[in-house]
Amino acid sequence: MSQNQFPANFIKIFGTAGARVAQCKQLRASGGAWLRLDDTNLLFDPGPGTLVHCWAGDKPLNPGLLDGVILSHRHLDHSNDFNVMVEAMVEGGFKPHGIAAAPSDALNSPEPIFFHYLRPVVDHIYVLEEGTSFQVGQVKVSTPVRHYHPVETYGFLFSGRRVNIAVITDTRYFPQLGEAYKGADLLILNVTFLHTFHSSKAFHLSIDEIGPLIEEINPQLTVLTHFGARILEKNPTLLARDMSRRLNRKIIAAYDGMILNLDDLSAGG
Ligand SMILES: [Zn+2]
């Protein structure tokens, strides 16, 4: 019952629900993902249920081992367990350590996500901006571009000794997106809509428009996640398989609890 049951370098995707309907009905779990890369443990986008998912099942992950909790944006499906996970990281406050990182409007707005009383328990708080870059343990964390979303939002580049991971969190498509994440070995891509709809409320990527984006970034493996209700009706696994054939690339759909072995990637797999 320890992290030794996991690959040396991995991502565990706790939840694959995207946006409100999929989250509220728990059509898929919500809850972000845990990254262990080069002995550094980071948790990003802890939506509702993250702490439960950490301890659940026959392969629990102990949040006390985390080196940081990182937030792409303040929407509830990403941020609900942010305080919960920071407190779990420091074991209720008894072992202060680690970092927290979030956009300015999640930290400094009149209604911040990160409770003030908890802030002294972490070693450092990073305010994410476009072009922010910092080191946590052996991993460089960067937020290369501000996303197009109703609140301040960033994706992540996690750079380890051998593997670079891009996480494109919520955003509408915009032309600079591909360039910002180009060359990642692994791409985690939040794709919430089935079809692109041209509306001022379309703040997520769709299956229709991600092909050229994946080709521009050119990762070894693309993992689709953050699915809305329409995609779930169509079966994301089949949609990913179809896209994989059409583009002749490795594209898969995440499922709740999926564990990706990052050492397969660095070996060229
Ligand atoms: Zn959002």
Side-chain angles (χ1 to χ4, degrees):
M1 305 289 269
S2 74
Q3 292 200 326
N4 295 332
Q5 297 179 358
F6 287 81
N9 298 291
F10 70 90
I11 288 186
K12 181 170 185 180
I13 299 177
F14 292 124
T16 56
R20 282 164 291 181
V21 174
Q23 176 206 254
C24 292
K25 294 186 174 177
Q26 289 286 289
L27 300 177
R28 291 284 185 95
S30 43
W34 183 304
L35 166 68
R36 180 165 73 191
L37 182 59
D38 300 334
D39 296 318
T40 304
N41 289 280
L42 296 170
L43 188 88
F44 56 90
D45 281 1
T50 306
L51 181 59
V52 174
H53 291 300
C54 283
W55 288 110
D58 57 358
K59 285 186 181 182
L61 283 161
N62 178 358
L65 298 173
L66 284 169
D67 298 295
V69 182
I70 300 175
L71 181 66
S72 70
H73 68 295
R74 59 177 294 134
H75 282 158
L76 263 181
D77 53 332
H78 299 254
S79 69
N80 187 74
D81 278 13
F82 189 83
N83 293 293
V84 172
M85 291 313 303
V86 168
E87 187 156 284
M89 174 173 76
V90 299
E91 300 184 25
F94 292 104
K95 293 189 178 171
H97 73 278
I99 67 100
S104 174
D105 69 350
L107 294 170
N108 302 322
S109 68
E111 188 181 57
I113 293 294
F114 193 14
F115 293 148
H116 285 283
Y117 83 87
L118 256 182
R119 297 187 186 195
V121 300
V122 296
D123 291 337
H124 196 84
I125 299 169
Y126 291 96
V127 182
L128 300 177
E129 297 175 344
E130 184 166 293
T132 297
S133 192
F134 57 92
Q135 192 80 20
V136 187
Q138 303 298 311
V139 175
K140 188 172 98 173
V141 182
S142 315
T143 48
V145 69
R146 182 170 175 167
H147 285 191
Y148 199 104
H149 205 54
V151 296
E152 191 177 354
T153 305
Y154 302 97
F156 308 116
L157 278 171
F158 297 110
S159 306
R161 285 195 291 266
R162 288 177 301 155
V163 176
N164 295 310
I165 299 155
V167 180
I168 299 186
T169 60
D170 295 3
T171 187
R172 177 197 292 211
Y173 179 78
F174 59 99
Q176 296 80 15
L177 198 51
E179 180 66 33
Y181 299 97
K182 212 170 204 169
D185 303 297
L186 168 66
L187 170 63
I188 310 280
L189 186 54
N190 285 15
V191 54
T192 303
F193 296 148
L194 194 54
H195 301 299
T196 307
F197 63 100
H198 300 281
S199 148
S200 59
K201 291 183 180 170
F203 289 113
H204 290 280
L205 294 168
S206 72
I207 291 283
D208 285 348
E209 64 195 348
I210 58 174
L213 179 63
I214 293 169
E215 294 198 307
E216 187 178 359
I217 295 170
N218 195 25
Q220 288 179 43
L221 171 66
T222 302
V223 180
L224 309 180
T225 186
H226 212 58
F227 305 124
R230 296 285 92 74
I231 290 187
L232 291 172
E233 281 171 11
K234 293 283 181 187
N235 189 338
T237 301
L238 297 182
L239 292 169
R241 195 176 296 163
D242 176 59
M243 186 177 296
S244 199
R245 284 199 191 112
R246 271 190 289 116
L247 301 180
N248 194 26
R249 292 181 160 276
K250 284 182 79 170
I251 302 169
I252 59 174
Y255 53 86
D256 293 349
M258 174 186 254
I259 297 168
L260 295 160
N261 185 344
L262 301 177
D263 293 322
D264 290 345
L265 280 175
S266 49

